[in-house]
Amino acid sequence: MQKSEDNSDGSPDDSHQAPLGSLKENFKKLKRAVLAKRPILRQILQKHGRKKLYRYVRDYIGVNLNPPIQRRQDEFITAFKNEVAKRLGHEISENAARQLSKHYFVSTADHHGPICHPFFVNSNLLTAAPYFELQDPDLKYVIVLSCANVSVDNSSFPRGLIFHSYANGQLKLHRLAFFSANTRPPMVYKLPPYTKKELEKIKNDLKLKQDKGEVQKSEVDTVNKIFDDIYSDPEVLNCKSYSDQITKTNFELWRKFFAPNHVAPPDLIYLELESLVVSLLIDHHFYKDTILNHILFDPIYEPLINSYFEGIFGSFSRQDQSGTYLFWALPEDGKNRLQLWKKGNFLVSKDESYKIELKPDIIRHALEEKELIPGLMLDFMTISFYYGLKCLGGFNQVNYLTLMKNGYLKMNTDLGNYRSIEICARAQTKELCDGLTIAFLQEPNGEMVLATGLDLILYGTSRTWPQFIEIAKNITFKEALSPLMPEIYKISYPENEWDPELIKITDKDIIRLKKLDTKIPPCAHIKKNEHEA
């Protein structure tokens, strides 16, 4: 999943059914267009496209380590353990730290919100799949360091939950929002906690949908019980931030995905990436002679950063005025996230309404107040290039993280930082987990769409989990990626460059074209409204 930019919500588009002949040619064109923009994705497809999906995801667990990385591991794992303990308690944090010391990988594919969007549901189900077969007692958790530096109105819908219903002969996607799209502050990272008031509003909205015949009573009852059992928990309501609420509620919501299957899944730890990075920087780099300290505060590094990271998504482009230099600013009275550019020893916004000096004590205070937010470049310099953590990611991440790694290596080569080169050279940047699809919802007419997290709870069966495993073992990597190609196309090109024929292609079209409905049985089935049956 790409960070801080809009993506499709996976909702269906019934407006179009192209003939298979023209669809086949258009899909070839679309795929070529996508891979032209995603060269690393092209490499991954060439290398793994024919590999069975289960075999591919099993390799997530393998990690390249060397002695310098292992020595730094302790710093990372201790910081991670402390952040988890604050939110999920000491027992879980101790077990998760033990897992990381043996299996040093996480997913960084997700946005920090309810585990509901099809992209994130699929990536984490796939990560979990090999755990059952391996039977490793230390492999207890799917660990996600999710991006909280994401807009509240991002189309991955981090501000609420989503589910499908079937009414009046149509599939409908429903959004249950804790916050409005124009909520301020605009980033999940700084959102206050939701309250009982927001929960009551959601329940009232559900009742109105039921009265209009858009959802069935059984669906409303199930969703309301989820809100009562998970989101209304006093411990959750007492959290100091929405971000902490998400960590607690996703832990419980994930378990409900598996309830009808009578299996004990690995638990889900959903921790915001930025808080962990802030903790690591302050505790180990602000006041010590490390490469990250020099990147932050040493002016010698600035021209090299400008040279080797210019134009990489997730870093910055002075030419295009995109991205930011090291941090984003979100002042207390600010309505929007501000880009920052380095001028002398200061970080300054474009209109110069915000200015902060690059001194450890000053930056530390701003980070602790959440006035500054680490950018993606700094996030991955920290966890991937310095600490050597294996980061599973989405179709965007595999590209930008590989380019960032190359830039980091060139910078350190110029400076003669050979230890940094040794560690970063082993960083694994081409591990794709987001965009591979196995969880589909079948409509009454037999067509299939990507299932949301709530769909698994509402419409799943006792066969849902065994089917996930069977699907992963029967389809190839390329087949699992194909339904997402239309969405990757939309994200890869600005709207004014969209081909009017290619933009009509939907995930349903790809499923039909590739006959995936015969290879991928649905994991959930939605029935007609009881009044229409």
Side-chain angles (χ1 to χ4, degrees):
M1 189 71 169
Q2 83 176 42
K3 310 295 187 184
S4 299
E5 291 191 6
D6 281 350
N7 301 297
S8 167
D9 56 20
S11 56
D13 178 0
D14 292 318
S15 61
H16 154 88
Q17 275 242 342
L20 283 179
S22 60
L23 178 60
K24 184 177 181 180
E25 290 305 311
N26 281 336
F27 180 63
K28 285 181 180 179
K29 286 176 61 179
L30 182 143
K31 187 174 177 181
R32 283 196 299 269
V34 166
L35 298 182
K37 289 280 191 177
R38 311 282 172 185
I40 306 302
L41 184 59
R42 180 194 295 277
Q43 293 176 18
I44 295 170
L45 266 173
Q46 289 173 342
K47 183 176 181 180
H48 300 291
R50 296 182 180 181
K51 187 181 289 186
K52 292 298 184 185
L53 184 59
Y54 187 85
R55 183 181 161 202
Y56 177 80
V57 300
R58 185 180 171 124
D59 290 343
Y60 290 162
I61 296 166
V63 180
N64 292 335
L65 287 177
N66 60 17
I69 289 178
Q70 289 173 313
R71 285 194 291 272
R72 291 180 177 183
Q73 219 178 338
D74 290 341
E75 282 183 9
F76 178 86
I77 292 174
T78 298
F80 168 82
K81 181 172 67 173
N82 291 340
E83 293 299 314
V84 173
K86 293 175 188 176
R87 297 159 176 86
L88 297 174
H90 290 286
E91 182 179 355
I92 292 172
S93 70
E94 291 287 345
N95 289 335
R98 190 178 305 114
Q99 174 177 317
L100 274 184
S101 67
K102 185 176 179 181
H103 304 287
Y104 196 52
F105 77 96
V106 302
S107 169
T108 49
D110 297 12
H111 291 164
H112 198 67
I115 178 70
C116 213
H117 192 281
F119 286 3
F120 310 143
V121 169
N122 277 276
S123 64
N124 292 305
L125 288 172
L126 282 168
T127 303
Y131 287 37
F132 289 88
E133 186 175 280
L134 291 171
Q135 294 294 303
D136 183 335
D138 291 326
L139 204 54
K140 296 176 181 290
Y141 305 100
V142 173
I143 300 175
V144 180
L145 300 182
S146 47
C147 178
N149 186 15
V150 61
S151 172
V152 174
D153 67 349
N154 187 278
S155 60
S156 63
F157 206 65
R159 59 191 175 94
L161 293 93
I162 53 178
F163 72 98
H164 289 96
S165 72
Y166 193 86
N168 303 317
Q170 289 188 330
L171 193 70
K172 295 181 180 293
L173 185 71
H174 302 279
R175 295 175 173 85
L176 307 177
F178 296 111
F179 304 98
S180 70
N182 59 0
T183 294
R184 292 296 179 266
M187 313 309 292
V188 170
Y189 183 66
K190 208 171 178 180
L191 278 181
Y194 67 78
T195 67
K196 287 184 179 180
K197 181 180 178 181
E198 282 78 37
L199 294 178
E200 288 304 316
K201 182 180 182 303
I202 289 173
K203 288 186 175 183
N204 289 336
D205 289 344
L206 274 172
K207 181 64 169 60
L208 289 173
K209 290 177 182 290
Q210 180 185 334
D211 292 343
K212 293 176 181 178
E214 295 178 358
V215 293
Q216 299 184 48
K217 182 179 184 300
S218 59
E219 293 163 343
V220 173
D221 289 345
T222 300
V223 175
N224 278 338
K225 185 165 178 21
I226 290 169
F227 279 103
D228 289 340
D229 292 349
I230 297 176
Y231 294 90
S232 299
D233 185 291
E235 187 176 320
V236 172
L237 291 173
N238 286 332
C239 285
K240 295 181 179 179
S241 71
Y242 179 65
S243 183
D244 286 355
Q245 288 178 322
I246 291 301
T247 299
K248 289 178 178 291
T249 53
N250 276 354
F251 189 88
E252 299 298 334
L253 185 65
W254 169 262
R255 286 181 165 183
K256 286 189 177 289
F257 294 175
F258 300 85
N261 296 264
H262 307 292
V263 296
D267 283 320
L268 180 71
I269 295 178
Y270 224 72
L271 185 68
E272 67 175 22
L273 171 60
E274 292 81 3
S275 288
L276 179 58
V277 169
V278 167
S279 175
L280 287 164
L281 291 175
I282 290 174
D283 291 346
H284 300 291
H285 302 284
F286 270 31
Y287 306 101
K288 298 178 184 177
D289 183 16
T290 68
I291 180 70
L292 291 175
N293 178 283
H294 287 282
I295 286 168
L296 290 167
F297 304 116
D298 188 342
I300 293 174
Y301 280 66
E302 180 188 357
L304 296 172
I305 294 171
N306 288 336
S307 175
Y308 291 128
F309 292 89
E310 167 72 27
I312 299 175
F313 177 90
S315 57
F316 58 84
S317 172
R318 291 184 182 272
Q319 180 178 343
D320 298 334
Q321 290 292 292
S322 62
T324 195
Y325 191 90
L326 298 177
F327 301 99
W328 295 91
L330 195 62
E332 190 63 37
D333 58 350
K335 294 183 178 180
N336 297 297
R337 186 179 64 170
L338 300 177
Q339 294 174 303
L340 297 178
W341 305 104
K342 193 166 188 293
K343 292 185 178 181
N345 201 42
F346 289 83
L347 294 177
V348 184
S349 63
K350 184 178 179 180
D351 63 1
E352 300 195 356
S353 63
Y354 182 87
K355 183 177 182 180
I356 188 166
E357 190 171 8
L358 275 168
K359 286 188 174 180
D361 287 347
I362 295 173
I363 300 298
R364 174 178 181 163
H365 177 75
L367 287 171
E368 289 173 340
E369 295 298 315
K370 292 193 172 184
E371 181 182 313
L372 290 179
I373 312 170
L376 275 182
M377 181 182 76
L378 184 55
D379 288 336
F380 283 111
M381 281 181 172
T382 304
I383 66 169
S384 180
F385 307 154
Y386 185 87
Y387 286 104
L389 183 69
K390 180 176 179 178
C391 298
L392 314 180
F395 52 83
N396 221 7
Q397 180 179 303
V398 295
N399 279 281
Y400 69 69
L401 191 57
T402 302
L403 295 174
M404 285 180 183
K405 174 184 172 180
N406 294 339
Y408 188 88
L409 289 172
K410 290 174 183 176
M411 176 180 70
N412 282 288
T413 299
D414 288 356
L415 292 162
N417 294 333
Y418 298 112
R419 190 178 183 206
S420 294
I421 295 168
E422 177 188 12
I423 291 171
C424 180
R426 291 176 177 254
Q428 294 168 269
T429 62
K430 300 178 182 179
E431 316 300 316
L432 187 73
C433 68
D434 181 19
L436 302 170
T437 51
I438 57 171
F440 288 89
L441 173 69
Q442 188 174 56
E443 302 177 46
N445 62 8
E447 292 191 330
M448 296 200 300
V449 296
L450 299 174
T452 73
L454 285 189
D455 290 342
L456 299 184
I457 299 171
L458 287 165
Y459 313 117
T461 70
S462 60
R463 286 282 302 153
T464 293
W465 178 252
Q467 278 185 324
F468 287 146
I469 302 296
E470 291 168 15
I471 292 168
K473 290 183 175 181
N474 289 332
I475 66 170
T476 65
F477 177 95
K478 181 167 64 174
E479 288 171 328
L481 184 63
S482 289
L484 264 292
M485 280 291 179
E487 302 309 325
I488 302 175
Y489 174 77
K490 292 177 185 176
I491 293 164
S492 300
Y493 291 87
E495 190 170 348
N496 62 356
E497 294 182 19
W498 287 353
D499 183 305
E501 288 301 314
L502 302 188
I503 205 63
K504 295 177 184 177
I505 300 174
T506 69
D507 57 340
K508 283 186 180 181
D509 290 329
I510 307 307
I511 292 167
R512 182 167 59 99
L513 175 67
K514 299 295 182 180
K515 298 182 179 179
L516 293 180
D517 51 344
T518 65
K519 298 180 181 181
I520 305 179
C523 63
H525 302 261
I526 191 168
K527 298 178 181 179
K528 289 184 179 180
N529 188 301
E530 58 196 14
H531 301 297
E532 300 178 272

